Amino acid sequence: MPDIEAKERKIIKSTRKLSDILFENATFLFALLIAAIVIYIFYEMFMDSAESREKFGFGFITSLNWDSVRGEYGAMTFIYGTVVSSVIALIIALPVSIGVAVFLTEIANSITRSAVSFLIEILAAIPSIIFGFWGIYVLAPFMRTVIQPSVQSVFGFIPIFGGSGAGFGLLTAGIILAIMITPIITAITRDVLKAIPVSQREAAYALGATKWEAIKMALLNAKSGILGATVLGLGRAVGETMAVTMVIGNKAQIKESLFEPAYSMASVIANEFAEASGTLHISALIEVGLILFGVTFIINSFARLLIYSFTKKAQTR
Amino acid sequence: MTEEKEILTVSPGVQTDKTEFNPEEAYEKSKFALETENLTVTFNGREAISDINSKFRKHTITAIIGPSGCGKSTFLRSLNFMHDLTPGAEVSGSIKIHGKDISEYDMTDVRRRVGMVFQKPNPFPTMTIYDNVAAGLTLHKRQSRKILDETVERSLRLAGLWEETKDRLKVSAMALSGGQQQRLCIARTLAINPEIVLFDEPTSALDPISTSKIEETLYMLKKDYTIIIVTHNMQQASRLSDYTSFFYLGKLIEHSKTRTVFTAPKNKLTEEYVIGKFG
Amino acid sequence: MTDYYSMIKNNSRGRKLKSRVMLFLCVFAAMLAILPLVYIFFYTTIQGASSLNLEFFTELPKPVGETGGGMANAIAGTAILVGLGSIFGIPVGILAGIYVTEYSKNMFANIIKFVTDVLSGIPSIIIGIFAYGLIVIPMQRFSAYAGGFALGLLMIPTITRITEEMLKLVPHNLREAALALGIPRWKTTIRIVLRTASGGIITGILLAVARAAGETAPLLFTSFGNSFWSSSLDSPMASIPVQIFNYAISPYDEWHRKAWAGAFVLISLVFIVSLIVRLATRNKYSQSA
Ligand SMILES: Nc1ncnc2c1ncn2[C@@H]1O[C@H](COP(=O)(O)OP(=O)(O)OP(=O)(O)O)[C@@H](O)[C@H]1O
Ligand SMILES: [Mg+2]
């Protein structure tokens, strides 16, 4: 480097006060604490499930056995219950949520909009124990006396609608879950739709599109954001405990019919943990929890990344 | 008018040649409230202003003019560490306050000596008029009620806001008009008793009447403070200031007495800008 | 855009009809989504309000068969558990939020944001297992501490997020104004920035508290439950949601009525808090507009 070119620059730096440094580091520590907690949750559950993991290995996931008397544990029935009830929830909640989001962003006037979003906010805040309680005394009887007979009279020949449930089962759990995850999918879909520039829709109108066609374009443009919202709702459904516990029937079995009782991962923990019959039982329950944690972690990470990338794209547009 | 004459006769121009040293200049130097040497600011490695050498005489008003984006605000903000908050900003060179290097002062001390009033009025919205003016004191250390009361009144008077607000000091600052809010911000800055006050286009968001009130205030403040004001308003610069600096593309093109800049600028660019050919 | 042109080539009457139908379906979806809320809300109110009396708030639960009694211990328990959670969750949430908006460089801010999102997605029953392993096992008993800790953890993501959002809304020039007065950065952050955002942050905290008050799963094996007054914070403690759960799955009508009353209390709390939040944020918007 030629000497003449090398300009010597004296950087002017501010001297930072000790109190400032302390405060910044304190806030940093708390931010770090959150990260540490998440990692530690995983670590603790991994360690505490050691007994069960060593005894059953990978067979734990595929085994249908759950017998605390004989000390044999496997998670498949719970995984099945969780997956099926969550998928039912999504199938019901997704179209409804998209409809509500479209209603809020494109159709409603400002008074209706704020009233409906307020009601949906409340719906999101109602404790799940209340959904469950309502499920036991209102939804389950309704399923048994109205839905099940009428569905079976028409579709009874299809195995998934057969059976002889008493109102408590996969379908009831799925419906409760659908009610519970509708607000979150709606809220994010609404935000995603809002992020789509108005100019796009105006251009569509200018070319003679109908209102629905313009909305459909917006929805297509927002599909990665909506997918994120959906996956996030799925994460909620998978982890939901009380409401499902109260209506799914709590029977560790896999039956063809959606009207039959089943069991979910979160429910078996809620029901058996406090009265577990020994260390292996606890360990097996924690392993179920570990699977649940892993699954929700993956689902949520995926959902968030989708939503982040969508909002980033929308911002730079 | 007499005051202005005095200044004009006392100050023999600031365009000094740094290489030669003479005792007279050393004496002059003590008259400078603020000096910069090779002051350069980069944002993420891109220079916004470069090698600004400038001196600001005590108890004068200096106007900084130049087209938008030429680095006026950047320069002003480097004088009291305002770039601290900007990630990627780097300030280099040297700044002297009363002949002493800025690094020898504590940062908050610098900011208390070099006050700043911003383009948009920015009173603290959660505070009353009184608390706004007193904020610089109360958030610095505990103060007696008496001192606070006195300071608030003195500052509001200086800023020309006392008569309008003395009966409603406990009202939220947001209840004031834009012009009043700006004068409140001036009072808030004066309350910490700075030696130098930087104004970044303080009247560009205001109506003509508020503007002239603030100009009056500035003119009065000259007795006790050294003032640097960024302005896009040529009339304002020529009305108000003793010296004028012309910035262009991040460089200080000319720094002379205001009369010189507006009547016989040394640089062609300055002339073109002043007569409105560009900018 | 090609499919778009094919869209407008079609005959326009059919398209208009389709548009109508789809828009109607959206309106229908909105009504469908609100229906369960309205149903649950009125059902709980009708079932609960009739069993609600002064005794409910002042008496301990009575054994099966005896009429009367209340949920005083569970109400106090929920207040204590949520209080313990707040002591832990509010400072952590706020300080972490401050770090993200005020101090962190982009990369780390994004990581923390991601982690809080992950934390908010962790099922609450898992948080219960975590608190069980961390506090119940070493103490060898169910305790209010463990329950409070679990609730605090659940509050953190909401509070961090709302703090971030609210601090972001504080105009940058207020920070500059304060710093230019020679006020140190940390004092600027607390006394000016946080103070300016406090309205929004408080509503966020209210929301987090109301949510925590309704949490059941994380309490099942941390604070457990108690039919009597708890003697101390390191003993099991009753809470409204757990009490509702125990009563709801019991076969006794009398207990069901008690549970509905408890549910009504919780739902009222949620409703009132949501209303406060709504009003507070609406005022904010109209002010800034
Ligand atoms: N925070 C920042 N990050 C990156 N670049 C910046 C930043 N602030 C200013 N700049 C750049 O520095 C240059 C000078 O900006 P500055 O704000 O000082 O101009 P100005 O003369 O005050 O203009 P105006 O009259 O419009 O206020 C501009 O090119 C601007 O883009
Ligand atoms: Mg500027």
Side-chain angles (χ1 to χ4, degrees), chain A residues 182-216:
Chain A
T182 295
I184 182 162
I185 304 183
T186 301
I188 295 177
T189 306
R190 179 194 57 193
D191 294 347
V192 162
L193 283 179
K194 265 197 226 151
I196 301 273
V198 185
S199 55
Q200 272 189 21
R201 258 157 281 177
E202 277 166 357
Y205 288 134
L207 288 169
T210 63
K211 190 160 186 177
W212 171 248
E213 284 159 358
I215 291 169
K216 203 163 109 187

mmCIF file of all heavy atoms in Angstrom, chain A residues 182-216:
data_model
loop_
_atom_site.group_PDB
_atom_site.id
_atom_site.type_symbol
_atom_site.label_atom_id
_atom_site.label_comp_id
_atom_site.label_asym_id
_atom_site.label_seq_id
_atom_site.Cartn_x
_atom_site.Cartn_y
_atom_site.Cartn_z
ATOM 1 N N THR A 182 -59.317 -21.458 14.579
ATOM 2 C CA THR A 182 -59.805 -20.498 13.587
ATOM 3 C C THR A 182 -59.295 -19.072 13.843
ATOM 4 O O THR A 182 -58.841 -18.411 12.909
ATOM 5 C CB THR A 182 -61.342 -20.537 13.514
ATOM 6 O OG1 THR A 182 -61.740 -21.820 13.025
ATOM 7 C CG2 THR A 182 -61.877 -19.464 12.583
ATOM 8 N N PRO A 183 -59.333 -18.584 15.084
ATOM 9 C CA PRO A 183 -58.872 -17.205 15.294
ATOM 10 C C PRO A 183 -57.432 -16.979 14.858
ATOM 11 O O PRO A 183 -57.136 -15.973 14.214
ATOM 12 C CB PRO A 183 -59.004 -17.013 16.808
ATOM 13 C CG PRO A 183 -60.005 -17.990 17.240
ATOM 14 C CD PRO A 183 -59.885 -19.167 16.326
ATOM 15 N N ILE A 184 -56.555 -17.911 15.162
ATOM 16 C CA ILE A 184 -55.142 -17.652 14.850
ATOM 17 C C ILE A 184 -54.898 -17.704 13.344
ATOM 18 O O ILE A 184 -54.194 -16.857 12.780
ATOM 19 C CB ILE A 184 -54.206 -18.609 15.620
ATOM 20 C CG1 ILE A 184 -52.760 -18.274 15.295
ATOM 21 C CG2 ILE A 184 -54.468 -20.063 15.314
ATOM 22 C CD1 ILE A 184 -51.797 -18.825 16.288
ATOM 23 N N ILE A 185 -55.530 -18.683 12.670
ATOM 24 C CA ILE A 185 -55.342 -18.720 11.213
ATOM 25 C C ILE A 185 -55.956 -17.469 10.582
ATOM 26 O O ILE A 185 -55.379 -16.853 9.691
ATOM 27 C CB ILE A 185 -55.972 -19.990 10.602
ATOM 28 C CG1 ILE A 185 -55.394 -21.235 11.288
ATOM 29 C CG2 ILE A 185 -55.717 -20.056 9.105
ATOM 30 C CD1 ILE A 185 -55.897 -22.535 10.709
ATOM 31 N N THR A 186 -57.124 -17.085 11.084
ATOM 32 C CA THR A 186 -57.767 -15.882 10.549
ATOM 33 C C THR A 186 -56.883 -14.666 10.718
ATOM 34 O O THR A 186 -56.672 -13.896 9.778
ATOM 35 C CB THR A 186 -59.102 -15.638 11.282
ATOM 36 O OG1 THR A 186 -59.935 -16.766 11.114
ATOM 37 C CG2 THR A 186 -59.790 -14.401 10.734
ATOM 38 N N ALA A 187 -56.350 -14.484 11.930
ATOM 39 C CA ALA A 187 -55.578 -13.266 12.215
ATOM 40 C C ALA A 187 -54.386 -13.157 11.275
ATOM 41 O O ALA A 187 -54.134 -12.094 10.698
ATOM 42 C CB ALA A 187 -55.115 -13.264 13.661
ATOM 43 N N ILE A 188 -53.660 -14.256 11.105
ATOM 44 C CA ILE A 188 -52.459 -14.167 10.275
ATOM 45 C C ILE A 188 -52.825 -14.031 8.800
ATOM 46 O O ILE A 188 -52.221 -13.246 8.072
ATOM 47 C CB ILE A 188 -51.525 -15.360 10.528
ATOM 48 C CG1 ILE A 188 -51.036 -15.273 11.975
ATOM 49 C CG2 ILE A 188 -50.349 -15.346 9.580
ATOM 50 C CD1 ILE A 188 -50.176 -16.405 12.410
ATOM 51 N N THR A 189 -53.845 -14.764 8.375
ATOM 52 C CA THR A 189 -54.270 -14.621 6.978
ATOM 53 C C THR A 189 -54.706 -13.187 6.685
ATOM 54 O O THR A 189 -54.383 -12.627 5.639
ATOM 55 C CB THR A 189 -55.430 -15.586 6.672
ATOM 56 O OG1 THR A 189 -55.034 -16.907 7.025
ATOM 57 C CG2 THR A 189 -55.794 -15.553 5.208
ATOM 58 N N ARG A 190 -55.405 -12.603 7.651
ATOM 59 C CA ARG A 190 -55.837 -11.220 7.465
ATOM 60 C C ARG A 190 -54.624 -10.305 7.302
ATOM 61 O O ARG A 190 -54.570 -9.472 6.400
ATOM 62 C CB ARG A 190 -56.659 -10.784 8.680
ATOM 63 C CG ARG A 190 -57.151 -9.354 8.622
ATOM 64 C CD ARG A 190 -57.645 -8.919 9.982
ATOM 65 N NE ARG A 190 -56.588 -9.061 10.984
ATOM 66 C CZ ARG A 190 -56.797 -9.000 12.297
ATOM 67 N NH1 ARG A 190 -58.002 -8.826 12.767
ATOM 68 N NH2 ARG A 190 -55.797 -9.124 13.145
ATOM 69 N N ASP A 191 -53.616 -10.474 8.179
ATOM 70 C CA ASP A 191 -52.416 -9.638 8.070
ATOM 71 C C ASP A 191 -51.719 -9.850 6.739
ATOM 72 O O ASP A 191 -51.231 -8.900 6.116
ATOM 73 C CB ASP A 191 -51.448 -9.952 9.212
ATOM 74 C CG ASP A 191 -52.041 -9.553 10.558
ATOM 75 O OD1 ASP A 191 -53.060 -8.831 10.557
ATOM 76 O OD2 ASP A 191 -51.494 -9.961 11.598
ATOM 77 N N VAL A 192 -51.664 -11.104 6.325
ATOM 78 C CA VAL A 192 -51.005 -11.419 5.065
ATOM 79 C C VAL A 192 -51.744 -10.748 3.897
ATOM 80 O O VAL A 192 -51.133 -10.151 3.015
ATOM 81 C CB VAL A 192 -50.961 -12.953 4.890
ATOM 82 C CG1 VAL A 192 -50.708 -13.319 3.450
ATOM 83 C CG2 VAL A 192 -49.892 -13.555 5.777
ATOM 84 N N LEU A 193 -53.077 -10.823 3.930
ATOM 85 C CA LEU A 193 -53.844 -10.198 2.853
ATOM 86 C C LEU A 193 -53.660 -8.685 2.857
ATOM 87 O O LEU A 193 -53.592 -8.046 1.806
ATOM 88 C CB LEU A 193 -55.329 -10.533 2.991
ATOM 89 C CG LEU A 193 -55.740 -11.938 2.552
ATOM 90 C CD1 LEU A 193 -57.224 -12.147 2.757
ATOM 91 C CD2 LEU A 193 -55.371 -12.162 1.092
ATOM 92 N N LYS A 194 -53.564 -8.122 4.054
ATOM 93 C CA LYS A 194 -53.371 -6.672 4.141
ATOM 94 C C LYS A 194 -52.040 -6.267 3.538
ATOM 95 O O LYS A 194 -51.878 -5.146 3.053
ATOM 96 C CB LYS A 194 -53.410 -6.234 5.609
ATOM 97 C CG LYS A 194 -54.776 -5.754 6.055
ATOM 98 C CD LYS A 194 -54.618 -4.960 7.342
ATOM 99 C CE LYS A 194 -55.636 -5.363 8.369
ATOM 100 N NZ LYS A 194 -55.159 -5.190 9.744
ATOM 101 N N ALA A 195 -51.057 -7.185 3.618
ATOM 102 C CA ALA A 195 -49.718 -6.854 3.126
ATOM 103 C C ALA A 195 -49.650 -6.860 1.598
ATOM 104 O O ALA A 195 -48.707 -6.363 1.015
ATOM 105 C CB ALA A 195 -48.685 -7.824 3.705
ATOM 106 N N ILE A 196 -50.657 -7.447 0.964
ATOM 107 C CA ILE A 196 -50.672 -7.438 -0.511
ATOM 108 C C ILE A 196 -51.068 -6.027 -0.965
ATOM 109 O O ILE A 196 -52.098 -5.510 -0.558
ATOM 110 C CB ILE A 196 -51.708 -8.443 -1.047
ATOM 111 C CG1 ILE A 196 -51.379 -9.838 -0.546
ATOM 112 C CG2 ILE A 196 -51.795 -8.374 -2.566
ATOM 113 C CD1 ILE A 196 -50.436 -10.616 -1.377
ATOM 114 N N PRO A 197 -50.234 -5.412 -1.791
ATOM 115 C CA PRO A 197 -50.502 -4.025 -2.169
ATOM 116 C C PRO A 197 -51.881 -3.846 -2.821
ATOM 117 O O PRO A 197 -52.306 -4.688 -3.618
ATOM 118 C CB PRO A 197 -49.403 -3.708 -3.177
ATOM 119 C CG PRO A 197 -48.391 -4.762 -3.019
ATOM 120 C CD PRO A 197 -49.033 -5.944 -2.397
ATOM 121 N N VAL A 198 -52.539 -2.772 -2.469
ATOM 122 C CA VAL A 198 -53.859 -2.478 -3.036
ATOM 123 C C VAL A 198 -53.758 -2.308 -4.548
ATOM 124 O O VAL A 198 -54.674 -2.635 -5.286
ATOM 125 C CB VAL A 198 -54.416 -1.181 -2.408
ATOM 126 C CG1 VAL A 198 -55.829 -0.940 -2.886
ATOM 127 C CG2 VAL A 198 -54.362 -1.263 -0.898
ATOM 128 N N SER A 199 -52.615 -1.806 -4.987
ATOM 129 C CA SER A 199 -52.471 -1.497 -6.410
ATOM 130 C C SER A 199 -52.710 -2.729 -7.281
ATOM 131 O O SER A 199 -53.272 -2.638 -8.371
ATOM 132 C CB SER A 199 -51.072 -0.942 -6.676
ATOM 133 O OG SER A 199 -50.106 -1.841 -6.215
ATOM 134 N N GLN A 200 -52.295 -3.913 -6.744
ATOM 135 C CA GLN A 200 -52.504 -5.139 -7.511
ATOM 136 C C GLN A 200 -53.982 -5.383 -7.778
ATOM 137 O O GLN A 200 -54.377 -5.735 -8.879
ATOM 138 C CB GLN A 200 -51.952 -6.329 -6.722
ATOM 139 C CG GLN A 200 -50.505 -6.580 -7.003
ATOM 140 C CD GLN A 200 -50.057 -7.877 -6.388
ATOM 141 O OE1 GLN A 200 -50.862 -8.751 -6.090
ATOM 142 N NE2 GLN A 200 -48.763 -7.990 -6.180
ATOM 143 N N ARG A 201 -54.773 -5.198 -6.700
ATOM 144 C CA ARG A 201 -56.201 -5.427 -6.858
ATOM 145 C C ARG A 201 -56.815 -4.384 -7.786
ATOM 146 O O ARG A 201 -57.656 -4.686 -8.618
ATOM 147 C CB ARG A 201 -56.880 -5.371 -5.491
ATOM 148 C CG ARG A 201 -57.191 -6.740 -4.973
ATOM 149 C CD ARG A 201 -57.322 -6.740 -3.485
ATOM 150 N NE ARG A 201 -56.006 -6.735 -2.861
ATOM 151 C CZ ARG A 201 -55.839 -6.684 -1.551
ATOM 152 N NH1 ARG A 201 -56.866 -6.600 -0.753
ATOM 153 N NH2 ARG A 201 -54.631 -6.713 -1.032
ATOM 154 N N GLU A 202 -56.326 -3.156 -7.644
ATOM 155 C CA GLU A 202 -56.859 -2.107 -8.503
ATOM 156 C C GLU A 202 -56.574 -2.407 -9.966
ATOM 157 O O GLU A 202 -57.414 -2.184 -10.839
ATOM 158 C CB GLU A 202 -56.280 -0.751 -8.098
ATOM 159 C CG GLU A 202 -57.052 -0.160 -6.935
ATOM 160 C CD GLU A 202 -56.343 0.997 -6.290
ATOM 161 O OE1 GLU A 202 -55.218 1.321 -6.709
ATOM 162 O OE2 GLU A 202 -56.918 1.562 -5.351
ATOM 163 N N ALA A 203 -55.375 -2.934 -10.187
ATOM 164 C CA ALA A 203 -55.029 -3.291 -11.564
ATOM 165 C C ALA A 203 -55.978 -4.359 -12.083
ATOM 166 O O ALA A 203 -56.430 -4.309 -13.226
ATOM 167 C CB ALA A 203 -53.589 -3.793 -11.617
ATOM 168 N N ALA A 204 -56.314 -5.323 -11.216
ATOM 169 C CA ALA A 204 -57.230 -6.383 -11.621
ATOM 170 C C ALA A 204 -58.607 -5.812 -11.966
ATOM 171 O O ALA A 204 -59.190 -6.149 -13.000
ATOM 172 C CB ALA A 204 -57.350 -7.418 -10.502
ATOM 173 N N TYR A 205 -59.081 -4.910 -11.107
ATOM 174 C CA TYR A 205 -60.381 -4.283 -11.387
ATOM 175 C C TYR A 205 -60.332 -3.538 -12.705
ATOM 176 O O TYR A 205 -61.257 -3.596 -13.518
ATOM 177 C CB TYR A 205 -60.769 -3.301 -10.273
ATOM 178 C CG TYR A 205 -61.172 -3.972 -8.991
ATOM 179 C CD1 TYR A 205 -60.675 -3.530 -7.778
ATOM 180 C CD2 TYR A 205 -62.064 -5.042 -8.989
ATOM 181 C CE1 TYR A 205 -61.041 -4.142 -6.592
ATOM 182 C CE2 TYR A 205 -62.436 -5.658 -7.825
ATOM 183 C CZ TYR A 205 -61.924 -5.211 -6.620
ATOM 184 O OH TYR A 205 -62.286 -5.814 -5.462
ATOM 185 N N ALA A 206 -59.213 -2.838 -12.909
ATOM 186 C CA ALA A 206 -59.083 -2.040 -14.123
ATOM 187 C C ALA A 206 -59.180 -2.910 -15.368
ATOM 188 O O ALA A 206 -59.631 -2.476 -16.413
ATOM 189 C CB ALA A 206 -57.751 -1.284 -14.109
ATOM 190 N N LEU A 207 -58.761 -4.166 -15.240
ATOM 191 C CA LEU A 207 -58.837 -5.071 -16.380
ATOM 192 C C LEU A 207 -60.190 -5.764 -16.461
ATOM 193 O O LEU A 207 -60.378 -6.662 -17.271
ATOM 194 C CB LEU A 207 -57.732 -6.122 -16.291
ATOM 195 C CG LEU A 207 -56.328 -5.592 -16.581
ATOM 196 C CD1 LEU A 207 -55.279 -6.628 -16.216
ATOM 197 C CD2 LEU A 207 -56.198 -5.196 -18.035
ATOM 198 N N GLY A 208 -61.111 -5.382 -15.582
ATOM 199 C CA GLY A 208 -62.461 -5.910 -15.679
ATOM 200 C C GLY A 208 -62.737 -7.144 -14.845
ATOM 201 O O GLY A 208 -63.700 -7.855 -15.093
ATOM 202 N N ALA A 209 -61.898 -7.418 -13.878
ATOM 203 C CA ALA A 209 -62.118 -8.590 -13.034
ATOM 204 C C ALA A 209 -63.281 -8.335 -12.085
ATOM 205 O O ALA A 209 -63.555 -7.197 -11.704
ATOM 206 C CB ALA A 209 -60.859 -8.894 -12.230
ATOM 207 N N THR A 210 -63.978 -9.408 -11.692
ATOM 208 C CA THR A 210 -64.993 -9.255 -10.653
ATOM 209 C C THR A 210 -64.285 -9.198 -9.307
ATOM 210 O O THR A 210 -63.093 -9.477 -9.188
ATOM 211 C CB THR A 210 -65.969 -10.449 -10.642
ATOM 212 O OG1 THR A 210 -65.222 -11.640 -10.332
ATOM 213 C CG2 THR A 210 -66.675 -10.608 -11.963
ATOM 214 N N LYS A 211 -65.050 -8.834 -8.305
ATOM 215 C CA LYS A 211 -64.465 -8.686 -6.979
ATOM 216 C C LYS A 211 -63.817 -9.997 -6.528
ATOM 217 O O LYS A 211 -62.693 -10.010 -6.045
ATOM 218 C CB LYS A 211 -65.548 -8.269 -5.983
ATOM 219 C CG LYS A 211 -64.972 -7.873 -4.636
ATOM 220 C CD LYS A 211 -65.935 -7.023 -3.848
ATOM 221 C CE LYS A 211 -65.253 -6.534 -2.584
ATOM 222 N NZ LYS A 211 -66.059 -5.657 -1.792
ATOM 223 N N TRP A 212 -64.550 -11.083 -6.717
ATOM 224 C CA TRP A 212 -63.990 -12.364 -6.278
ATOM 225 C C TRP A 212 -62.722 -12.716 -7.038
ATOM 226 O O TRP A 212 -61.763 -13.236 -6.477
ATOM 227 C CB TRP A 212 -65.023 -13.481 -6.428
ATOM 228 C CG TRP A 212 -64.432 -14.825 -6.194
ATOM 229 C CD1 TRP A 212 -64.235 -15.813 -7.099
ATOM 230 C CD2 TRP A 212 -63.908 -15.313 -4.945
ATOM 231 N NE1 TRP A 212 -63.630 -16.891 -6.509
ATOM 232 C CE2 TRP A 212 -63.412 -16.616 -5.188
ATOM 233 C CE3 TRP A 212 -63.796 -14.784 -3.666
ATOM 234 C CZ2 TRP A 212 -62.827 -17.387 -4.191
ATOM 235 C CZ3 TRP A 212 -63.214 -15.552 -2.664
ATOM 236 C CH2 TRP A 212 -62.740 -16.837 -2.930
ATOM 237 N N GLU A 213 -62.680 -12.398 -8.344
ATOM 238 C CA GLU A 213 -61.473 -12.694 -9.114
ATOM 239 C C GLU A 213 -60.280 -11.898 -8.592
ATOM 240 O O GLU A 213 -59.164 -12.409 -8.507
ATOM 241 C CB GLU A 213 -61.717 -12.409 -10.597
ATOM 242 C CG GLU A 213 -62.549 -13.495 -11.257
ATOM 243 C CD GLU A 213 -63.223 -13.040 -12.538
ATOM 244 O OE1 GLU A 213 -63.076 -11.851 -12.901
ATOM 245 O OE2 GLU A 213 -63.898 -13.854 -13.166
ATOM 246 N N ALA A 214 -60.543 -10.643 -8.224
ATOM 247 C CA ALA A 214 -59.467 -9.827 -7.655
ATOM 248 C C ALA A 214 -58.996 -10.421 -6.328
ATOM 249 O O ALA A 214 -57.799 -10.511 -6.052
ATOM 250 C CB ALA A 214 -59.944 -8.397 -7.450
ATOM 251 N N ILE A 215 -59.977 -10.854 -5.513
ATOM 252 C CA ILE A 215 -59.617 -11.441 -4.228
ATOM 253 C C ILE A 215 -58.834 -12.730 -4.440
ATOM 254 O O ILE A 215 -57.856 -13.006 -3.747
ATOM 255 C CB ILE A 215 -60.889 -11.724 -3.401
ATOM 256 C CG1 ILE A 215 -61.535 -10.402 -2.978
ATOM 257 C CG2 ILE A 215 -60.573 -12.564 -2.184
ATOM 258 C CD1 ILE A 215 -62.914 -10.574 -2.383
ATOM 259 N N LYS A 216 -59.257 -13.497 -5.436
ATOM 260 C CA LYS A 216 -58.581 -14.757 -5.689
ATOM 261 C C LYS A 216 -57.124 -14.514 -6.063
ATOM 262 O O LYS A 216 -56.232 -15.235 -5.625
ATOM 263 C CB LYS A 216 -59.298 -15.500 -6.828
ATOM 264 C CG LYS A 216 -59.048 -17.001 -6.804
ATOM 265 C CD LYS A 216 -60.077 -17.725 -7.649
ATOM 266 C CE LYS A 216 -59.453 -18.254 -8.910
ATOM 267 N NZ LYS A 216 -60.423 -18.817 -9.853
#
